[in-house]
Amino acid sequence: MDDDSRDGRDPAPAVTRSIRLLGLLADAGGPRTLTELAGGLGLAKSSTANLCLALEAGGMIERTAQGYRLGLRTAELGGAFAAQFNQIREFYSVCEASPVLSSELVQVAMLDGADALYLARHEGSRTLRLGTPLGSRLPAALSATGRALLAAMTDDEVVALLGEDAVFPALTERSTTTLAGLLESLAAARKRGWALDAEESFRGVVGVAVALPGWAPSDPPLALGVAIRAAEAEYERIERVGEALRDAATALTNPFSAAARR
């Protein structure tokens, strides 16, 4: 073990600071000046400028008239992360082949801590603008994709993940904010075979989602979800979408996996 590891020092501070800088830009939602980045990192402007120069040379960030923002290389890396999973590579063709899903906005998400992290998106022929671009997050307790992933767990596993005293943000007036309410929603999702978000994460949008077991043992569990305008979300359509998602999940499940043999 080297000296840095023994005494707890960061073995690569420049790398750590670069990661923090990228995180600041990811959270910012727009360009940030050198002064703002230096303040966020707690570093001198000269040190921050050196980090920016290195990241800019690697295409990880780019400079604009308003300041620095994430570069194209970050998008390439995000796409490469998603593309390493067989199911995401096949996701688009499965959606296109579905008479129901081909016209819907379908998204793929994975669980990252207590959040649903969005990895892929099939636009469909209907136009629906949502605040869940690739790489964005929603609380798993409130989103349909997150609930589909949580419903694949036992209640004890959900409590261990979220905490016995978990309280969830009220993103809309319909949001479930208590663990008891969430567990009730998960029980209903397990019973009918798909999870529902009835305007709990976005006002005016209903989400329907199913869980998708990983293709290989090392792959993360995924969820397939559809977003529907609340005004168009009659129960017959929700059921139709739920069944189509279950069919898509079956098509995307490894035929040799334990999940396919259930």
Side-chain angles (χ1 to χ4, degrees), residues 59-118:
M60 299 296 288
I61 66 174
E62 57 188 30
R63 189 166 16 184
T64 71
Q66 293 77 37
Y68 290 95
R69 65 185 182 190
L70 292 177
L72 290 176
R73 183 61 178 153
T74 59
E76 293 172 352
L77 292 173
F81 172 79
Q84 67 186 323
F85 304 120
N86 288 310
Q87 291 156 311
I88 293 182
R89 290 199 297 270
E90 299 297 325
F91 158 72
Y92 302 98
S93 59
V94 168
C95 289
E96 288 295 340
S98 168
V100 175
L101 300 182
S102 59
S103 63
E104 300 286 0
L105 172 62
V106 192
Q107 296 174 288
V108 179
M110 65 177 284
L111 202 60
D112 184 24
D115 293 332
L117 173 65
Y118 289 84

Side-chain angles (χ1 to χ4, degrees), residues 11-176:
V15 175
T16 301
R17 291 166 181 169
S18 295
I19 293 171
R20 288 176 56 206
L21 191 151
L22 292 172
L24 288 174
L25 291 178
D27 294 337
R32 287 295 179 266
T33 66
L34 182 63
T35 299
E36 289 171 327
L37 290 172
L41 294 172
L43 297 175
K45 288 177 65 174
S46 58
S47 299
T48 306
N50 288 334
L51 292 177
C52 288
L53 284 172
L55 290 170
E56 187 178 9
M60 299 296 288
I61 66 174
E62 57 188 30
R63 189 166 16 184
T64 71
Q66 293 77 37
Y68 290 95
R69 65 185 182 190
L70 292 177
L72 290 176
R73 183 61 178 153
T74 59
E76 293 172 352
L77 292 173
F81 172 79
Q84 67 186 323
F85 304 120
N86 288 310
Q87 291 156 311
I88 293 182
R89 290 199 297 270
E90 299 297 325
F91 158 72
Y92 302 98
S93 59
V94 168
C95 289
E96 288 295 340
S98 168
V100 175
L101 300 182
S102 59
S103 63
E104 300 286 0
L105 172 62
V106 192
Q107 296 174 288
V108 179
M110 65 177 284
L111 202 60
D112 184 24
D115 293 332
L117 173 65
Y118 289 84
L119 302 176
R121 179 182 179 114
H122 169 267
E123 293 289 349
S125 58
R126 301 175 190 264
T127 57
L128 182 63
R129 299 299 177 190
L130 282 178
T132 52
L134 301 187
S136 64
R137 300 166 180 269
L138 283 174
L142 301 181
S143 63
T145 50
R147 287 180 175 180
L149 289 162
L150 294 175
M153 303 177 173
T154 66
D155 281 356
D156 287 344
E157 290 172 330
V158 172
V159 172
L161 174 67
L162 302 179
E164 293 182 359
D165 301 320
V167 177
F168 313 118
L171 300 183
T172 76
E173 64 277 5
R174 295 175 177 267
S175 297
T176 296

Side-chain angles (χ1 to χ4, degrees), residues 173-215:
E173 64 277 5
R174 295 175 177 267
S175 297
T176 296
T177 59
T178 66
L179 183 61
L182 171 64
L183 294 178
E184 184 177 334
S185 296
L186 298 183
R190 296 182 190 111
K191 184 175 181 180
R192 64 177 169 249
W194 39 265
L196 183 67
D197 156 16
E199 298 187 76
E200 296 190 54
S201 52
F202 287 97
R203 186 179 291 106
V205 177
V206 172
V208 186
V210 300
L212 177 60
W215 186 272

